[in-house]
Amino acid sequence: MFREEYGRLIASLVRRFGDIDIAEEAAGEALVAALEKWPEAGVPPNPGGWLTTTAGNRAIDKLRREKVRETKHEAAAMLYDDTPHEPTGAITDDRLRLIFTCCHPALAPEARIAMTLRLLGGLTVAEIAAAFLVQETTMAQRITRAKAKIKGANIPYKVPEAEDLPARVGAVLAVLLLIFNEGYLSTGDGDPIRADLTGEAIRLARTLHALLPDDLEATGLLALLLLTESRRAARVRGGELVTLEEQDRGGWDRALIAEGQDLVRACLAANRPGRYQILAAINAVHTDAPTGAATDWAQIAALYDQLSRIDPSPIVALNRAVAIAELDGPEVALAIVDRLPLETYHAWHATRAELLRRLGRSAESREAYDAALAVCDNTAERAYLTRKRDQLAP
């Protein structure tokens, strides 16, 4: 229930009370109250409504207690004012509005994304740190500094005006992708795939696309999420990750594929390529292939070449190396991978392990699998890596 309701609850409370600390404290108290009362009284018919009402009451109590500030008195009195809420501006979805609000230009880009993931995605600090490939303490400090900056700079929690949206959309797109990725390959010991997060990211991406239909990167992100989500049902079998080439393509969602490919074609027709559009096009190539063996790796490599000019990150280079391995062989790809500074990233170790296995270097491959397992938190992926390692010669 926490996973499903936390983001909705926080967004509603921030809109109502205009204070992130009050919203977080009230939401936490409401969840504690639920843990205390629901085991005896039973789960209410509308759990989200119960949490919202309880959290609102706790926030009112907090405002009443804080008598030292005149503004708090005024805010508490206004809670009983029956005049309509202020206009919601260009965005009517509470959660999307809060994402845009958190992505204020005064905050550092990584702080905007981290704070929004914490508030809206319901992700733990550890999960966010894993997404950024940094230590948990480092990420906690970033989030704390971002909140302090909001207070110190008096950044208002208000609806951004329509003219403010384009400047913030890049950070919003990054947030939605990270929320989706955490759902598609989640960290921790719980479910390896969290459909609640992937579904929420897609819902928000649809809303954003409807809000900014001419923003090709918003279109590209929606296409990317749809095409990736289309493979979710085939991604895990028996608690173990199933790689793309081994997936049962008959289990892919053809309606999502058709919708995603239509969006990719719209982006191609506009001919203004961006990061998310290219990633969507790569996924479109994968979904076009009837089998893994029929994948057009030359086209995928060319798309990664184009992407690396826009985003010359080591993650992009790692994914490009996977395509190069199919075209030029594992030795060429391994030379690329070994130069990348990704020692804390489990996919780097897993990629090395597979390339070394294909080269017949079993002992080195085993070491790479062990290194991947040491930094991998997804249960299904750990099961897959363990099986691949154990298939190697002693």
Side-chain angles (χ1 to χ4, degrees), residues 7 240 263 283 393-394:
E240 182 180 316
L263 292 171
N283 276 268

Side-chain angles (χ1 to χ4, degrees), residues 321-333:
V322 174
I324 294 299
E326 301 298 327
L327 294 173
D328 300 327
E331 190 168 5
V332 175

Side-chain angles (χ1 to χ4, degrees), residues 182-186 190-196 198 232 235-236 378:
E182 175 58 31
Y184 200 66
L185 198 64
S186 61
D191 292 336
I193 294 178
R194 289 180 50 195
D196 60 320
T198 60
R232 177 167 57 86
R235 187 167 172 78
V236 173
N378 183 269

Side-chain angles (χ1 to χ4, degrees), residues 311-328:
D311 179 16
S313 71
I315 301 291
V316 172
L318 178 66
N319 290 322
R320 176 182 174 274
V322 174
I324 294 299
E326 301 298 327
L327 294 173
D328 300 327

Side-chain angles (χ1 to χ4, degrees), residues 7-253:
R8 184 183 296 108
L9 184 59
I10 289 290
S12 173
L13 292 169
V14 169
R15 175 176 58 81
R16 183 176 176 186
F17 297 101
D19 188 298
I20 187 172
D21 290 327
I22 288 176
E24 285 194 293
E25 185 173 335
E29 290 181 2
L31 289 161
V32 170
L35 286 171
E36 293 171 345
K37 295 181 179 181
W38 290 1
E40 295 181 2
V43 178
N46 181 3
W50 189 98
L51 289 170
T52 300
T53 300
T54 303
N57 291 336
R58 297 300 172 95
I60 292 171
D61 291 342
K62 179 177 175 61
L63 289 172
R64 284 172 173 164
R65 291 193 301 268
E66 294 185 1
K67 297 180 180 180
V68 293
R69 295 184 183 180
E70 185 65 27
T71 54
K72 300 299 184 182
H73 279 296
E74 295 171 359
M78 288 173 60
L79 296 175
Y80 296 98
D81 188 350
D82 59 359
T83 56
H85 288 298
E86 64 175 282
T88 57
I91 306 174
T92 57
D93 184 280
D94 274 351
R95 281 162 286 180
L96 191 60
R97 288 171 61 212
L98 184 54
I99 291 177
F100 267 103
T101 303
C102 287
C103 292
H104 193 282
L107 300 175
E110 65 274 11
R112 302 176 208 167
I113 295 172
M115 189 168 65
T116 312
L117 288 172
R118 180 75 188 98
L119 296 178
L120 271 297
L123 273 64
T124 66
V125 176
E127 290 168 343
I128 301 168
F132 278 84
L133 306 181
V134 298
Q135 296 295 320
E136 184 175 348
T137 52
T138 301
M139 184 52 62
Q141 290 169 357
R142 285 184 187 177
I143 294 173
T144 300
R145 283 196 297 266
K147 291 180 181 179
K149 175 118 185 207
I150 286 172
K151 282 190 174 182
N154 293 319
I155 295 173
Y157 278 90
K158 69 181 185 69
V159 179
E161 302 297 332
E163 59 269 21
D164 296 329
L165 300 184
R168 302 190 194 183
V169 72
V172 173
L173 294 173
V175 165
L176 294 182
L177 181 57
L178 284 171
I179 291 174
F180 181 89
N181 285 343
E182 175 58 31
Y184 200 66
L185 198 64
S186 61
T187 54
D189 296 328
D191 292 336
I193 294 178
R194 289 180 50 195
D196 60 320
L197 284 185
T198 60
E200 177 67 358
I202 289 174
R203 187 190 70 79
L204 291 171
R206 288 188 188 279
T207 304
L208 183 62
H209 175 57
L211 179 70
L212 301 171
D214 296 327
D215 189 304
L216 292 176
E217 283 293 82
T219 304
L221 177 73
L222 177 57
L224 171 63
L225 300 192
L226 293 172
L227 292 169
T228 308
E229 177 74 359
S230 71
R231 305 192 297 267
R232 177 167 57 86
R235 187 167 172 78
V236 173
R237 183 172 60 242
E240 182 180 316
L241 180 73
V242 181
T243 58
L244 186 60
E245 62 271 15
E246 296 175 338
Q247 288 176 16
D248 175 13
R249 300 186 179 220
W252 290 359
D253 189 322

